[in-house]
Amino acid sequence: MASIRRTLSPAFRDRPYVNGVGSPFSVQSPSPKLLSSSRYSPPFPSAILAFTVTIRRFVAGVLFHRPNRKGQQWRRVFYRCLLFFFLGFLLGLLPFGHVDDDEEIRGRSFNFDIKPSHVNVQFDNDNTDRVVKRREDLVVDVSLGVVESRGELVPRKQLIIVTPTYNRALQAYFLNRLGQLLRLVPPPLLWIVVENKAASFETAEILRKSSVMYRHLVCGNNLTSAKDRGVYQRNTALEHIERHTLDGIVYFADDDNIYSLDLFDRLRDISRFGTWPVAMLAQSKNKAILEGPVCNGTQVIGWHTNEKSKRLRRFHVDMSGFAFNSTILWDPKRWHRPTYVPIRQLDTVKEGFQETTFIEQVVEDERQMESMPTGCSKVMNWHLHLQAHSLVYPKGWQLQKNLDIVLPIK
């Protein structure tokens, strides 16, 4: 029986290699003759090559090398953190982004000056809509809170509407009606509503739903009569305007009066003090009375009056028939006021004289007044006496039988 024996080749580790020659893991260096004959030169300088090899060894040791000792693990973690921090820092310095005008940027140096784009202002024939068009066909509506003056856009004057109110049967109706009117007035407008003793939830709810910027104030004085109530409430609003230095045109708008929208548009034309005629319904309800200035253009030359008891007044004007600049209250130097005494309504005078005593503190005579409209040729608000005195004020403005209630108007 024949047998075949295969000789086993010796393993590589049993072969002797002199100076590493013939080792399968060694790389033979080129001979000196080859170097000299082929003009061999390294592709990189030796310093850069050595630095690159060092970095490669460092990265390989940090990422792939497994430490033999347990004490070397913290070094590996530390070097990894240091490496990633350094890479993140370099990435943060790189200028990422997209630039459209590459050719323009190449020929110019970088600067950090911000130059606004060209603005084209165009107005229509009626000067009602103001539109700003920018270079990139971007249309921006700037009609909110600005007006045109000599070809320039200037902010509108703020209107400060002061309304004293109190609990009565028609209070909700009056406040809702006035609020619906004020929301139609172009901003800026501030509605200051003053109540007695405490702010009621019903009034606050109406103000929140009116979509008008408002401030709900409370008069803390002990009110004994209807005359004192209105005086103290308006003084509370005047103190608030003076303390917070609110800038605008102040107008006393009672909630039971009727106003036209044109009146609030003309209030912004007032520089110091403006006045106009007011139509009033007489107490007998059988005739209308006109009270206010007699005008020649925009100049006040006289006064309308029909009541003998009020002929002793200096200025014959209703409380809703004038408006003034709020800076008169807190900036006396601007208007050359001789005294720094606060301007307030007086509760010591007879009923019907609160208007004239207050105006005497604001202006000296008719020369400092502005009448509107021109020639006082238009009635812009009515003062009506529509009250239900015999009806008890219902809690929460809710009546059990609304259809059975008859409101006597006296």
Side-chain angles (χ1 to χ4, degrees):
M1 185 175 180
S3 63
I4 299 174
R5 296 182 63 183
R6 179 178 297 176
T7 59
L8 299 175
S9 60
F12 290 120
R13 62 176 179 272
D14 297 335
R15 294 180 181 178
Y17 299 104
V18 180
N19 295 329
V21 179
S23 173
F25 302 104
S26 64
V27 179
Q28 296 181 358
S29 61
S31 62
K33 294 180 179 182
L34 182 61
L35 292 176
S36 59
S37 61
S38 61
R39 297 180 182 179
Y40 175 81
S41 60
F44 302 100
S46 59
I48 298 178
L49 187 60
F51 178 75
T52 305
V53 172
T54 304
I55 293 299
R56 289 180 58 187
R57 289 179 178 177
F58 176 75
V59 173
V62 170
L63 298 180
F64 307 107
H65 176 68
R66 294 184 179 180
N68 297 329
R69 300 178 181 178
K70 296 183 178 180
Q72 295 179 352
Q73 291 182 357
W74 67 272
R75 293 185 180 180
R76 182 185 179 187
V77 174
F78 172 76
Y79 287 136
R80 280 187 178 181
C81 295
L82 183 63
L83 175 62
F84 288 121
F85 173 78
F86 183 71
L87 292 177
F89 179 75
L90 291 181
L91 292 176
L93 296 179
L94 295 179
F96 292 103
H98 177 71
V99 180
D100 294 331
D101 303 330
D102 292 334
E103 296 181 356
E104 278 188 15
I105 296 179
R106 288 172 187 168
R108 299 180 183 177
S109 60
F110 289 98
N111 72 35
F112 296 94
D113 295 334
I114 300 176
K115 297 182 180 180
S117 58
H118 179 68
V119 177
N120 245 345
V121 182
Q122 297 182 355
F123 302 95
D124 61 357
N125 296 330
D126 298 332
N127 289 332
T128 55
D129 297 326
R130 280 157 284 274
V131 177
V132 174
K133 293 185 177 180
R134 295 192 180 274
R135 182 177 58 185
E136 301 172 351
D137 297 332
L138 177 63
V139 180
V140 181
D141 185 10
V142 293
S143 61
L144 180 64
V146 295
V147 292
E148 186 269 339
S149 177
R150 297 181 181 179
E152 297 181 357
L153 294 177
V154 295
R156 288 195 188 101
K157 290 183 180 179
Q158 179 177 230
L159 299 183
I160 306 175
I161 310 301
V162 177
T163 301
T165 186
Y166 62 97
N167 296 342
R168 61 193 189 279
L170 300 180
Q171 182 186 15
Y173 165 72
F174 289 147
L175 287 177
N176 276 302
R177 183 180 64 179
L178 182 56
Q180 293 298 321
L181 173 65
L182 295 180
R183 70 184 301 179
L184 301 177
V185 180
L189 183 144
L190 176 62
W191 190 16
I192 300 180
V193 179
V194 187
E195 279 195 291
N196 299 329
K197 296 182 181 179
S200 64
F201 173 79
E202 293 80 10
T203 302
E205 189 70 15
I206 288 179
L207 296 180
R208 282 193 294 267
K209 294 180 179 179
S210 65
S211 301
V212 179
M213 183 173 63
Y214 70 92
R215 295 189 182 182
H216 194 183
L217 306 182
V218 176
C219 178
N221 297 74
N222 187 14
L223 308 179
T224 57
S225 64
K227 176 179 70 71
D228 296 336
R229 178 181 58 237
V231 170
Y232 290 137
Q233 287 176 321
R234 296 186 187 96
N235 285 341
T236 300
L238 293 176
E239 292 174 2
H240 182 83
I241 296 172
E242 182 178 353
R243 180 169 61 254
H244 296 280
T245 61
L246 300 180
D247 191 3
I249 303 300
V250 180
Y251 178 50
F252 298 123
D254 293 343
D255 55 2
D256 57 344
N257 292 349
I258 298 177
Y259 309 91
S260 65
L261 191 59
D262 183 47
L263 170 63
F264 297 94
D265 293 335
R266 295 179 183 272
L267 289 179
R268 292 190 167 98
D269 298 331
I270 297 175
S271 175
R272 175 170 181 162
F273 182 92
T275 183
W276 55 91
V278 178
M280 307 175 61
L281 188 63
Q283 296 290 341
S284 59
K285 304 293 188 300
N286 57 3
K287 65 177 180 178
I289 301 173
L290 190 64
E291 188 173 38
V294 178
C295 309
N296 182 13
T298 59
Q299 186 178 9
V300 178
I301 59 176
W303 301 94
H304 292 285
T305 182
N306 292 312
E307 299 184 21
K308 296 181 179 179
S309 60
K310 296 181 179 180
R311 290 181 181 178
L312 298 178
R313 295 188 301 176
R314 174 66 179 84
F315 302 110
H316 301 270
V317 62
D318 186 69
M319 188 65 71
S320 61
F322 66 91
F324 60 95
N325 197 312
S326 65
T327 56
I328 299 177
L329 301 175
W330 47 267
D331 192 5
K333 292 183 179 180
R334 175 181 176 182
W335 303 101
H336 306 287
R337 283 177 50 202
T339 177
Y340 288 87
V341 177
I343 298 178
R344 299 291 185 268
Q345 292 190 4
L346 305 179
D347 59 343
T348 57
V349 297
K350 295 188 299 182
E351 185 177 0
F353 284 79
Q354 288 87 5
E355 297 89 348
T356 182
T357 55
F358 178 80
I359 297 175
E360 290 173 4
Q361 303 175 62
V362 179
V363 296
E364 297 179 359
D365 51 30
E366 287 82 357
R367 291 176 299 178
Q368 298 179 347
M369 296 182 178
E370 311 161 35
S371 62
M372 59 181 209
T374 303
C376 299
S377 58
K378 186 177 181 181
V379 175
M380 296 182 291
N381 65 306
W382 285 74
H383 185 183
L384 306 179
H385 303 278
L386 301 178
Q387 297 294 338
H389 299 285
S390 60
L391 183 63
V392 180
Y393 172 75
K395 184 178 180 180
W397 291 323
Q398 295 180 358
L399 301 177
Q400 298 296 332
K401 298 180 181 180
N402 295 331
L403 298 180
D404 297 338
I405 296 298
V406 178
L407 303 179
I409 300 176
K410 295 183 179 181

